[in-house]
Amino acid sequence: MRSGRELLVHLRGGGRRIVRELSGFGLVGGCCFVLDLVLFQLLYARLGVDAVAAKALTTLTTTTVAFAGHRLITYRGRSRARPGRGYLLFAAVNGATLLLGLAIIGFVRHGLGQEDALVLQAANLASIAAGTAVRFVVYRRWVFPETVPG
């Protein structure tokens, strides 16, 4: 059983760790967001790649960069075992949160009949927030699990 002092030290350490992970998560996500915008502009506007194909290429690229960034920065102190499995799970989570975002926007546009750009942008922001929260929790728990001392 831990003493009060040991518990406090443990909680402080955990608090610092979650702040570091949240910071890394935001840094990696922000960089990938900018990378997505730049690559899409390059592929679509400069090189003439079809918009859907350009978006598919940027999504594949930024998903891979995000996985590497989270593995090396956000969750650097966690298990490095089975990166192939981790990447597949990472991609599945991103796909699921994409579908969640599409469902939110689709519900507001078609289910509620909203056409106003401001309302749809608010729905878009809500979908981004929901997806980000889900990704942070799932990455932390299952994609980049803590190493169990053994």
Side-chain angles (χ1 to χ4, degrees):
M1 179 174 241
R2 292 183 180 180
S3 71
R5 182 168 174 77
E6 290 173 326
L7 184 58
L8 185 59
V9 168
H10 175 74
L11 290 174
R12 281 188 187 154
R16 279 191 292 268
R17 185 178 64 227
I18 196 142
V19 166
R20 183 184 51 76
E21 288 177 356
L22 279 167
S23 298
F25 187 80
L27 176 68
V28 170
C31 289
C32 287
F33 175 72
V34 171
L35 178 62
D36 188 283
L37 295 177
V38 170
L39 282 177
F40 184 83
Q41 187 68 17
L42 174 69
L43 291 170
Y44 179 70
R46 298 280 184 207
L47 299 177
V49 175
D50 175 73
V52 174
K55 184 59 183 170
L57 288 169
T58 62
T59 299
L60 180 62
T61 302
T62 56
T63 297
T64 302
V65 170
F67 178 78
H70 288 309
R71 186 172 168 86
L72 297 171
I73 296 169
T74 309
Y75 303 106
R76 67 180 171 262
R78 293 184 176 226
S79 174
R80 299 254 187 228
R82 304 186 333 174
R85 178 188 172 278
Y87 183 79
L88 288 175
L89 185 55
F90 186 85
V93 169
N94 281 285
T97 57
L98 171 63
L99 292 176
L100 172 65
L102 293 174
I104 290 169
I105 303 259
F107 174 73
V108 170
R109 171 61 189 93
H110 300 290
L112 299 178
Q114 296 294 317
E115 294 182 8
D116 184 73
L118 234 69
V119 172
L120 291 169
Q121 191 64 280
N124 185 37
L125 289 171
S127 74
I128 291 168
T132 299
V134 168
R135 282 190 299 276
F136 181 75
V137 169
V138 172
Y139 292 170
R140 194 166 195 272
R141 177 145 176 119
W142 290 296
V143 178
F144 302 103
E146 288 192 73
T147 305
V148 179

